[in-house]
Amino acid sequence: MTENAQREKAVLAYSGGLDTSVCIKWLQEKHDLDVIAVVGEVGQDHDGLEKVKERALASGAVECRVVDMRDDFANEYLTKALAANSLYENKYPLVSALSRPLITKHLVDIAHETGAKYIAHGCTGKGNDQVRFETSIMALDPTLEIIAPVREWDLNSRDAEMAWAAEHGIEVPTTKKSPYSIDDNLWGRAIECGVLEDPWNQPPDDIYTMTDDPQAAPDEPEVVEVTFEAGVPVALDGEKMSYLDIIYKMNEIAGRNGFGRLDLIENRLVGVKSRECYEVPGALALIEAHKALEDLTLERDVLHHKLAMEQLWANLVYDGLWFSPLKYAVDAFLENTQQYVTGTVRLRFYKGTCTVTGRKSDYSLYNYKLATYDAEDTFDHAAAKGFIDLHALPTKVWATNRREQAGE
Ligand code: ARG
């Protein structure tokens, strides 16, 4: 096909899989658009993104850009995720939800740079990721138009899609597709579909690639010290490292000790309950360590109010509202809390567990003289009585009234 200079352009979030390859042709054929494919390197497992680029071009993209987003992902996104100790529904560390806004930011930048009026993605109409891409696009540039080919087309089975691909000259994978749907990045790996769709089925061993089976993990515990500065990990076992490198390293350490596997039923934004398995070794270990340091350094009221903010933040990000005013406001709160989250936490990994065994900080609010039961105790025991009398007063008044009314 010859390139027409007058043709409008679409920027497509491209993964290299069959769906997004078919998207390229679909955008050309059905929407008469030139396609600029964008591949985000976010720490996913791959055997060369150059191959992915070739595949995009072979599928008809006029251009394919591979963008290494890892530094930004670690420093702008995963710092905030850690500040929020973010766990959707108290369990899921938001792996995919964190990468979507970052990828979208690049899609929008590239649309601006190339004069593209359209942005396209390969998500289905049933998941959260479509919401995240589209909400982020609307927040960053409400004038851009969105196309979601997978929601448009009628290629309901994989066979129908393969047939359409073959008819349109797209290279069809010859190897049998993995029965699972997988999304992965620095913060972990999400696995769904196949036998996992029955919530009673035990997850098969072959779904895991980042973590070893806890039963097969080393018999000796592994101990590691994580040092934080203002809430951000800066060293492992005293060795200074970038946060990005620390995440890679923690994935390795926790993974080889069988820590970080999750098997969940999760409530999607679109109203569906789904069975999701995750492996999030580094993310969960860092969140554990970070929480332990906050326990030591955050004042009680701040810590308590922060718990509610953490949940709000996780919900906003899960729901695709990364670039939204409320999310920005919660970011500001969380950032303020991190100023003195500086110190070191000791973690002990052993056969699928990760335990905090020590924490220290120059900003520690733990006061030995107040806490000790030994002779050095400076706590004013006598003051406790008056404190409790006033603390309990409203409850006492209430209890007295109920007893009187009951004729006691
Ligand atoms: N349920 C998770 C989320 O909504 C993960 C989705 C990832 N996609 C996948 N193909 N497994 O964030």
Side-chain angles (χ1 to χ4, degrees):
M1 195 182 298
T2 52
E3 200 182 319
N4 180 343
Q6 300 307 309
R7 238 172 157 191
E8 294 286 1
K9 298 180 193 115
V11 175
L12 168 71
Y14 185 70
S15 71
L18 181 64
D19 283 351
T20 48
S21 298
V22 173
C23 282
I24 294 178
K25 260 288 175 314
W26 186 269
L27 291 165
Q28 289 180 329
E29 294 252 321
K30 306 283 175 181
H31 294 270
D32 195 28
L33 295 168
D34 277 343
V35 179
I36 299 163
V38 177
V39 183
E41 160 83 282
V42 287
Q44 69 273 44
D45 189 29
H46 61 74
D47 50 4
L49 293 179
E50 278 310 300
K51 273 195 225 157
V52 175
K53 180 173 177 169
E54 279 165 30
R55 184 129 206 258
L57 297 173
S59 303
V62 293
E63 191 186 334
C64 177
R65 299 195 189 183
V66 176
V67 185
D68 188 346
M69 306 177 184
R70 286 174 298 175
D71 281 324
D72 226 16
F73 194 31
N75 299 331
E76 292 296 323
Y77 289 70
L78 301 182
T79 46
K80 293 186 171 71
L82 195 56
N85 296 316
S86 60
L87 297 172
Y88 175 68
E89 297 182 337
N90 283 338
K91 291 175 291 213
Y92 162 50
L94 297 175
V95 178
S96 308
L98 291 163
S99 71
R100 302 314 180 199
L102 170 65
I103 295 169
T104 307
K105 186 169 75 95
H106 285 273
L107 298 175
V108 171
D109 285 349
I110 291 171
H112 290 162
E113 194 193 311
T114 58
K117 285 195 182 140
Y118 300 87
I119 293 191
H121 62 73
C123 303
T124 69
K126 240 166 102 159
N128 294 313
D129 285 332
Q130 53 171 349
V131 183
R132 296 167 185 154
F133 276 120
E134 296 184 27
T135 305
S136 298
I137 295 166
M138 290 179 205
L140 293 173
D141 183 351
T143 68
L144 287 166
E145 292 198 41
I146 297 162
I147 309 177
V150 178
R151 267 195 329 234
E152 282 175 8
W153 68 42
D154 207 11
L155 308 169
N156 283 332
S157 69
R158 186 162 169 91
D159 284 346
E161 198 180 331
M162 299 235 285
W164 197 90
E167 260 169 54
H168 291 81
I170 297 167
E171 188 197 333
V172 173
T174 45
T175 48
K176 204 171 162 338
K177 185 186 150 56
S178 146
Y180 309 111
S181 164
I182 290 163
D183 182 54
D184 66 329
N185 61 48
L186 286 172
W187 213 229
R189 193 161 163 274
I191 312 120
E192 53 189 321
C193 301
V195 296
L196 300 174
E197 286 184 348
D198 179 346
W200 183 247
N201 283 341
Q202 183 179 318
D205 287 341
D206 70 356
I207 68 168
Y208 299 110
T209 61
M210 295 176 79
T211 53
D212 286 334
D213 182 345
Q215 250 182 350
D219 290 326
E220 287 302 311
E222 184 166 358
V223 172
V224 54
E225 290 180 8
V226 192
T227 301
F228 293 82
E229 260 172 44
V232 181
V234 293
L236 280 190
D237 286 331
E239 193 188 329
K240 286 250 168 217
M241 264 182 241
S242 70
Y243 183 29
L244 177 63
D245 287 341
I246 289 177
I247 297 166
Y248 273 117
K249 198 89 197 175
M250 284 304 275
N251 276 332
E252 233 176 84
I253 297 170
R256 67 175 168 245
N257 286 288
F259 175 70
R261 295 182 174 186
L262 301 177
D263 173 0
L264 311 177
I265 297 292
E266 174 180 310
N267 290 286
R268 286 190 195 162
L269 178 58
V270 293
V272 178
K273 277 193 195 293
S274 68
R275 202 280 184 88
E276 309 264 349
C277 291
Y278 298 102
E279 35 186 359
V280 277
L284 280 191
L286 289 170
I287 289 172
E288 280 306 312
H290 181 257
K291 276 186 186 168
L293 191 57
E294 288 192 330
D295 289 342
L296 195 65
T297 55
L298 293 189
E299 184 274 334
R300 180 180 186 258
D301 284 337
V302 171
L303 187 90
H304 287 185
H305 285 277
K306 184 170 182 283
L307 289 171
M309 289 299 208
E310 290 175 353
Q311 214 155 65
L312 174 59
W313 194 92
N315 285 337
L316 289 166
V317 173
Y318 187 87
D319 292 351
L321 291 164
W322 182 275
F323 303 107
S324 72
L326 180 55
K327 149 74 172 45
Y328 289 141
V330 180
D331 279 342
F333 172 90
L334 294 174
E335 193 186 339
N336 185 278
T337 63
Q338 297 302 293
Q339 294 174 79
Y340 304 110
V341 184
T342 295
T344 299
V345 176
R346 193 189 314 110
L347 296 176
R348 178 184 187 269
F349 294 95
Y350 180 63
K351 288 196 177 290
T353 64
C354 168
T355 317
V356 173
T357 64
R359 68 292 274 159
K360 60 178 178 182
S361 167
D362 290 343
Y363 302 96
S364 170
L365 304 180
Y366 177 90
N367 184 317
Y368 173 76
K369 288 188 173 166
L370 288 176
T372 184
Y373 287 92
D374 283 347
E376 284 170 81
D377 184 10
T378 59
F379 185 86
D380 184 352
H381 290 249
K385 178 170 178 347
F387 166 74
I388 298 165
D389 284 345
L390 297 189
H391 169 72
L393 188 58
T395 308
K396 191 173 165 188
V397 169
W398 168 83
T400 307
N401 174 272
R402 288 310 115 95
R403 282 170 67 96
E404 283 167 6
Q405 294 306 315
E408 283 171 29

